[in-house]
Amino acid sequence: MQASAVGYVLSPDALGPAAADPARTADELSAGYLLALGARAIREVGSLRKSADAAGKTLPTLSIDTEIRFRSAGERAAFTRDLAESVATLAARYHDESTLGGRWSRLVVLAHPRPAPDESGPTAPAAKEAT
């Protein structure tokens, strides 16, 4: 066998019961929880994309990728509180559980330290949207 793609994404489903699962991770501030959310996104979006491709449709998604440098841990904590409040406000404004035909979406916001420049590879600090 020889690799023929530039990169690969392994579905967490390939790991069976050992796959990371946010429901089995109690500490929502841990690296394990963040990885479990990422694994769930790979699993769900991979499956949804396969179904959309089979139906000849596009999969509506939204991705936001940016970088921020905090002056201190205190500012990072304040940013986290402000972001959580802003997201909760927006979710409350646009969420409608009762409309027939409404479309559910999952929103995950995550942050992690940026790797050192020699380890990070290409970065894309601009917001991108796909419909």
Side-chain angles (χ1 to χ4, degrees), residues 8-91:
Y8 296 91
V9 175
L10 177 65
S11 171
D13 288 341
L15 301 174
D21 181 357
R24 294 192 318 246
T25 307
D27 182 1
E28 294 182 358
L29 299 177
S30 70
Y33 188 74
L34 186 147
L35 291 170
L37 290 174
R40 183 181 67 192
I42 290 168
R43 182 176 56 252
E44 290 178 353
V45 174
S47 176
L48 291 165
R49 180 175 153 189
K50 185 177 179 181
S51 296
D53 288 349
K57 296 183 177 183
T58 60
L59 180 65
T61 63
L62 167 70
S63 301
I64 300 171
D65 181 13
T66 193
E67 295 179 0
I68 184 170
R69 183 175 176 181
F70 299 103
R71 284 184 281 262
S72 67
E75 283 202 356
R76 184 183 67 232
F79 175 84
T80 300
R81 283 189 304 273
D82 289 348
L83 180 61
E85 182 180 305
S86 296
V87 169
T89 298
L90 283 170

